[in-house]
Structures are given as structure tokens and as C-alpha cells.
Amino acid sequence: MELAERTKRIDSSGIRKVFALAANMTDPVNLSIGQPHFDVPESIKEVAIQAIRDGRNSYTLTAGIPELRERLLERYRQRRIEAEDVIITSGASGGILLCFLALLNEGDEIIIPDPYFVMYKHLANFIGAKPVYVDTYPDFQLDPVKIEAAITPRTKMILLNSPNNPTGVVYTEAVLRGVMEVAAKHGLTILTDEIYDCFLYDSKPISIAEWYPNTIVLSGFSKSAAMTGWRVGYALAPKAVVAAMANIQMYSFVCAPSFAQWAALAVLDEDTSANEDDYRRKRDLIYGGIKDRYEVTKPGGAFYIFPKAPSDDGDSFVQEAIGNNLLVVPGSVFSERKTHFRISFAAEDREIGRGIEILNRLAG
Ligand code: PLP
């Protein structure tokens, strides 16, 4: 059967290679996982189960249950983010796809800081938009001058992701204000993926949406409540954008899972700061454990750290790490460069400790 042309624009060979290499490992030290190592809080599980028992099992409104939408708008208002509207999506991933479909025409350019969360590149290519990468090595902060230099008449959108996957870097207020000025000058839309702002170790949450109305804020509950399999995310955006995204959702995902939306509402009443404190400690553990042997930027958020491989070749370094029973992800999966590799510290301390030991041995 002949597949559609667009399927060829999604290249999953990088990730597949890692999976293939990892397949032969028995009980590896696994620092490759892109989700929290803790489980959904018991109280939240109970809410989900109760929602199912109460018969909250049918389609919800396309844009999500009003209770959750209102709470989210209110919560962001308290952070001085006055979004016009919000749509509940099938994970933040569903939100990215809907947002791209709603805003990007074929040939439109989207500026993506490199390194980047893999999905951006492949979804942009998939829908026929053109990713334009802005290199952020070596400290992974954005440079508004470099962003402006990447703008062409086809540029439509700038994508931000802070705290960042895979670097853990958090953009500073000065940088965000600089990017905002560039975006305003050129009339560009900002899509800001803030799904990791529940893991911020040295600063308070800050968003370009506080100052720039032409922004879509994307987030969700996969990381904050470890609900990765329940598929609840959301996008705050101007009314017309939410309406367009809802139209596409109506004929595709239909809605986010019903019971999980009720559980997400309860997450907003939970205090998740203990997880943040725990991951701050893990951040200190891994950073302190490798910083003397690796060129590495201290992450300010998320649960990733992105060191440079000793040989400048992240691909062969990861092969070597796998040969030493450590599973990490080559930077080439997240970047047009292959010099680095990603460590996830969403793991037990013991696992992180074993990983540090192997890494220091491999540093030579
Ligand atoms: N955005 C970033 C930066 C991510 O790292 C991830 C998941 O790893 C997502 C979005 C997708 O999250 P969700 O599970 O809500 O689709």
C-alpha cells in the first residue's frame, strides 16, 4: 500500500536507533525517560475513578469541561496572564498539532531554538511548514539578535520552550523581553511551551504571555501530575485561535479524555511543590556529580541535563554508555548538532548515583 507523501516527512530513525541499541540491555541504569518517575497522586486517582463511576464517560464539549477551562483561565489571571480563551487538548502534544494546523500554512516558517523537543521539528515538517533553527549552544539561552536574523518574509511563528527539553535551561526575563520586542516588531505569533514550569528550581514562573498578547501558552498535566497516559493538556490563546483549534479538534481528537479532565481539575487543588523540591535535589545531585568532568550548563528547570560528550560525538558516546549499561539519549535526536547527550534525572537517587559513577568513568 502506498503511503502518503507527508508520512515521509516524519523521521523517527534517531529515536528508533536508541531503542534498538537499548533492546539488548538487561536492567540498565536508565536515565533516558521523559516523564516523572513518581506516580499520579492517590487522591487524583480516586477522583478519576469516581468520575468514571459517576458516569462521566461520554464526550465532553470539544474545548473541554467548562469547570476546568474556567479554573485555568483564573489560575493564569492570577499570574497576570490575561488569556482570552483556553482549549483542553489531548495532551500538550495534541495542542501543538492543533496549534500548528490552525496557524501555519504550507511554506510558512517557524523559528525553533536548537536544541528542541523532537515533536516540533517533525510536526512542522509533517504539515509542510518549515522549521528554521536558531542555535543556542553553548549556554542554551536565547539570543534575540540571532532570532531576528533568522526572520524572513515567510516567518509566522517563534516557538519557545522554557524550562527546556532537553537542556533544562530557563529563559531569563531579559531574554524573553528581547524576544518579545523582536516578535512585536515583525508581527509574529509566539507559541510558548511551558509544560515544565511545575519544575522550576531557582526562579518563579515567568511567561512572555504576561506582556505579549499575540501568544499561545501551551501546557498540561503530564509532567506536573505524572498523568502522561491520561492525555490532558491545554492551550491559552486569543479567541479566534482557540475557535480554530476547537474546530480541528472536533473532527480529529473530538475531546480530551472525560474522566481525566475531572482529575486534572482536582490537580489544580493539589500542592505539587514536594515533587519540585525533590527534583531540585536531584538536579543538584546530577549536576554536582558530573560538572567537574563534563562541559555542562546547570539546569534551572525540567528534569533534564544536556552535557557535551567528551569526544564531541554524542552518538558514539551514547553507544559507549550503553555498552557500560547506562541508557541516555544522543543530542542528535533533539538538535541539528550531535555534540551533546541528554540525561533525565527523573529517577531514583540510587539510579542517578550509578549513572554518575559510569559517566565519570567514561569521561576518562
Ligand atoms: N512539550 C514538551 C517540551 C515535552 O517534553 C513534552 C513531553 O515530553 C510535551 C510537550 C508533550 O506532553 P504531553 O504528554 O502533554 O503530550
Side-chain angles (χ1 to χ4, degrees), residues 102-247:
L103 286 163
L104 298 174
N105 287 315
E106 294 234 352
D108 280 351
E109 293 177 6
I110 169 169
I111 293 179
I112 301 179
D114 177 344
Y116 45 76
F117 172 47
V118 268
M119 199 175 276
Y120 308 145
K121 168 182 181 164
H122 297 296
L123 285 184
N125 284 328
F126 181 65
I127 67 160
K130 182 177 170 209
V132 174
Y133 305 108
V134 172
D135 188 294
T136 64
Y137 292 78
D139 64 355
F140 310 119
Q141 270 298 340
L142 286 181
D143 180 350
V145 175
K146 278 198 199 165
I147 291 203
E148 184 155 33
I151 292 172
T152 76
R154 292 309 306 260
T155 308
K156 181 78 189 283
M157 185 184 277
I158 302 172
L159 203 160
L160 306 179
N161 171 215
S162 175
N164 186 271
N165 176 9
T167 67
V169 161
V170 175
Y171 299 146
T172 63
E173 175 166 351
V175 155
L176 289 175
R177 286 194 183 271
V179 174
M180 178 194 69
E181 274 167 29
V182 170
K185 183 170 152 195
H186 295 272
L188 302 177
T189 298
I190 302 262
L191 172 59
T192 171
D193 180 344
E194 302 178 1
I195 195 161
Y196 290 103
D197 74 359
C198 47
F199 297 106
L200 268 172
Y201 309 128
D202 310 311
S203 56
K204 295 254 168 291
I206 183 174
S207 174
I208 199 164
E210 291 170 35
W211 325 296
Y212 191 58
N214 200 6
T215 300
I216 295 127
V217 179
L218 194 81
S219 193
F221 297 88
S222 286
K223 315 294 169 173
S224 59
M227 288 167 37
T228 49
W230 289 7
R231 314 308 306 136
V232 190
Y234 55 90
L236 300 125
K239 264 196 181 341
V241 176
V242 167
M245 290 172 71
N247 258 337

Side-chain angles (χ1 to χ4, degrees), residues 267-323:
V267 170
L268 297 177
D269 291 322
E270 285 276 308
D271 177 6
T272 55
S273 58
N275 293 328
E276 194 173 38
D277 292 343
D278 194 33
Y279 278 27
R280 180 183 299 104
R281 204 182 39 73
K282 290 180 191 293
R283 184 274 310 257
D284 292 343
L285 189 64
I286 184 79
Y287 177 71
I290 64 170
K291 73 174 176 15
D292 294 337
R293 310 296 287 276
Y294 286 84
E295 196 177 313
V296 65
T297 301
K298 188 177 188 179
F303 36 73
Y304 308 109
I305 185 165
F306 200 63
K308 188 160 173 225
S311 53
D312 276 4
D313 182 348
D315 290 355
S316 62
F317 179 79
V318 167
Q319 287 207 25
E320 204 186 335
I322 287 173

Side-chain angles (χ1 to χ4, degrees), residues 292-363:
D292 294 337
R293 310 296 287 276
Y294 286 84
E295 196 177 313
V296 65
T297 301
K298 188 177 188 179
F303 36 73
Y304 308 109
I305 185 165
F306 200 63
K308 188 160 173 225
S311 53
D312 276 4
D313 182 348
D315 290 355
S316 62
F317 179 79
V318 167
Q319 287 207 25
E320 204 186 335
I322 287 173
N324 283 270
N325 205 36
L326 170 65
L327 188 54
V328 288
V329 186
S332 56
V333 168
F334 313 97
S335 178
E336 303 306 294
R337 289 207 205 183
K338 61 168 197 171
T339 45
H340 289 57
F341 64 99
R342 188 189 79 174
I343 302 169
S344 162
F345 52 88
E348 295 296 340
D349 287 3
R350 196 177 52 89
E351 201 83 344
I352 297 171
R354 288 173 66 202
I356 292 170
E357 212 178 286
I358 298 169
L359 285 167
N360 281 327
R361 206 169 348 111
L362 292 178

